[in-house]
């Protein structure tokens, strides 16, 4: 397996690839050759030119962790080479282009988008409880995604906005946990951190409501800056009970004093909270490629999450509830 991309998230994947017993980590490629060399040396593997990274005769799969604007072309190259592919989200920031790519590359080899939060142990249990019927009919889902600090504005400018960059993970989780594709979305947002966010057409604080075909409602609050750490949680209310994945603190120690009780705090950032999910997602991908078992999230599922994000972004602008239009995939001729 080769790795495309040697930036921050590429380095995360490189560590997991090198440690995985079912993976032969063949090499790294990046537009920055020095960065690729440093990462390859750290894990005792090779460096490839981007043009050659998917050519080795004994290669089975590739992991795409390069910049967002390169994902689509690398997916095309992987498909043409007959490789299985694990790709960071999104396929492309432009939904129409992403749809064209999926129609072109979908087919014989497993293709998975790394919506890694599906592989969080607690969220997987919520999915099981909701889909098994143990909670009865799911009626209301509450989701929270709150980051500790506003990312750099140069990142915000190319991220696609809060709906496409941050909340999209929870659009995917909402579909997965409820087993339904939402019909409409209403989003409201504000800027509290840096007024230049408004100049970028983005918000740092938002509340989104999804309406499912069954009538189930999903509410998602997303915040870029909390001041108290990274806060992520989900509650699923059913007709026969409720289940929740609570805040994850850095520890479970409670300290009692004469005048106060002190708990361990939250993780300082999103990565510290979700780091194990990257390993679990890789486990799933490797098992699916090795055994031929179903893989997911698929490219088509990623398109659906992106379509919800597009409608939510429109809703932020119009102030109205927006109907979600899902892509129709027409196989390439």
């Amino acid at each position: 397996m080769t790795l495309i991309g040697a930036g921050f998230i590429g380095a995360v994947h490189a560590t997991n690839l090198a440690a995985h017993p079912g993976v032969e980590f063949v090499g790294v490629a990046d537009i920055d050759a020095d960065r690729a060399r440093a990462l390859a040396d750290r894990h005792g593997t090779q460096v490839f030119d981007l043009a050659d990274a998917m050519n080795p005769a004994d290669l089975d799969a590739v992991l795409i962790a390069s910049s967002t604007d390169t994902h689509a072309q690398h997916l095309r190259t992987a498909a043409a080479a007959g490789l299985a592919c694990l790709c960071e989200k999104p396929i492309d920031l432009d939904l129409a282009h992403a749809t064209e790519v999926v129609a072109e590359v979908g087919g014989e080899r497993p293709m998975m988008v790394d919506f890694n939060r599906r592989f969080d142990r607690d969220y997987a249990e919520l999915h099981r409880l909701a889909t098994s019927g143990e909670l009865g009919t799911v009626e209301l889902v509450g989701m929270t995604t709150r980051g500790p600090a506003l990312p750099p504005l140069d990142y915000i400018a190319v991220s696609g906005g809060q709906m496409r960059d941050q909340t999209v993970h929870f659009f995917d989780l909402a579909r997965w946990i409820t087993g339904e594709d939402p019909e409409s979305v209403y989003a409201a947002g504000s800027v509290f951190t840096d007024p230049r966010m408004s100049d970028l057409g983005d918000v740092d604080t938002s509340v989104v409501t999804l309406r499912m075909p069954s009538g189930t409602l999903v509410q998602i609050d997303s915040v870029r800056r909390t001041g108290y750490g990274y806060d992520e949680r989900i509650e699923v209310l059913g007709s026969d009970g409720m289940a929740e994945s609570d805040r994850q603190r850095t520890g479970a120690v409670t300290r009692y004093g004469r005048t106060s009780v002190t708990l361990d705090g939250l993780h300082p950032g999103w990565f510290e909270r979700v780091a194990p999910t990257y390993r679990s997602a890789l486990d799933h991908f490797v098992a699916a490629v090795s055994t031929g078992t179903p893989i997911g999230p698929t490219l088509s599922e990623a398109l659906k999450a992106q379509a919800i994000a597009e409608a939510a972004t429109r809703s932020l602008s119009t102030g109205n509830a927006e109907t979600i239009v899902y892509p129709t995939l027409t196989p390439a001729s």
Side-chain angles (χ1 to χ4, degrees), residues 67-93:
S67 60
T68 294
D69 61 335
T70 66
H71 291 178
Q73 186 53 52
H74 290 322
L75 276 167
R76 285 189 169 108
T77 303
L83 300 177
C85 185
L86 173 58
C87 184
E88 278 293 320
K89 64 88 179 169
I91 296 163
D92 189 86
L93 277 175

Side-chain angles (χ1 to χ4, degrees), residues 25-228:
F25 187 12
V26 176
V28 180
D30 191 274
I31 193 170
D32 185 331
D34 291 336
R35 186 165 65 176
R37 170 62 62 191
L39 187 60
D41 288 348
R42 191 183 313 162
H43 295 289
T45 191
Q46 304 176 67
V47 175
F48 290 108
D49 292 332
L50 282 171
D52 299 325
M54 301 188 210
N55 288 337
D58 58 350
L59 190 64
D60 297 310
V62 62
L63 198 161
I64 299 172
S66 51
S67 60
T68 294
D69 61 335
T70 66
H71 291 178
Q73 186 53 52
H74 290 322
L75 276 167
R76 285 189 169 108
T77 303
L83 300 177
C85 185
L86 173 58
C87 184
E88 278 293 320
K89 64 88 179 169
I91 296 163
D92 189 86
L93 277 175
D94 182 85
L95 180 59
H97 186 218
T99 303
E100 290 176 6
V101 172
V102 174
E104 179 182 332
V105 308
E108 297 180 3
R109 296 295 286 161
M111 296 275 182
M112 172 178 159
V113 176
D114 197 10
F115 276 117
N116 54 296
R117 281 168 177 78
R118 286 198 190 191
F119 301 93
D120 180 273
R121 178 194 62 189
D122 296 343
Y123 295 165
E125 177 63 5
L126 291 184
H127 166 74
R128 187 192 69 79
L129 290 169
T131 57
S132 69
E134 292 183 45
L135 301 177
T137 301
V138 174
E139 299 172 344
L140 182 66
V141 180
M143 298 178 160
T144 289
T145 167
R146 300 176 185 171
L150 185 71
L153 287 180
D154 57 354
Y155 171 82
I156 294 289
V158 298
S159 70
Q162 190 177 50
M163 297 298 105
R164 299 184 185 100
D165 177 54
Q166 182 181 7
T167 317
V168 68
H169 283 282
F170 289 79
F171 294 148
D172 178 68
L173 285 174
R175 290 188 59 255
W176 185 57
I177 288 173
T178 64
E180 295 189 82
D181 291 333
E183 294 179 326
S184 64
V185 56
Y186 173 75
S190 297
V191 174
F192 293 112
T193 53
D194 189 321
R196 291 175 293 178
M197 289 281 289
S198 296
D199 297 333
L200 296 173
D202 201 3
V203 298
D204 55 41
T205 303
S206 62
V207 177
V208 171
T209 301
L210 303 174
R211 178 176 287 277
M212 302 300 187
S214 66
T216 297
L217 298 175
V218 179
Q219 182 167 291
I220 308 168
D221 72 84
S222 304
V223 175
R224 288 289 197 182
R225 181 264 296 137
T226 64
Y228 63 85

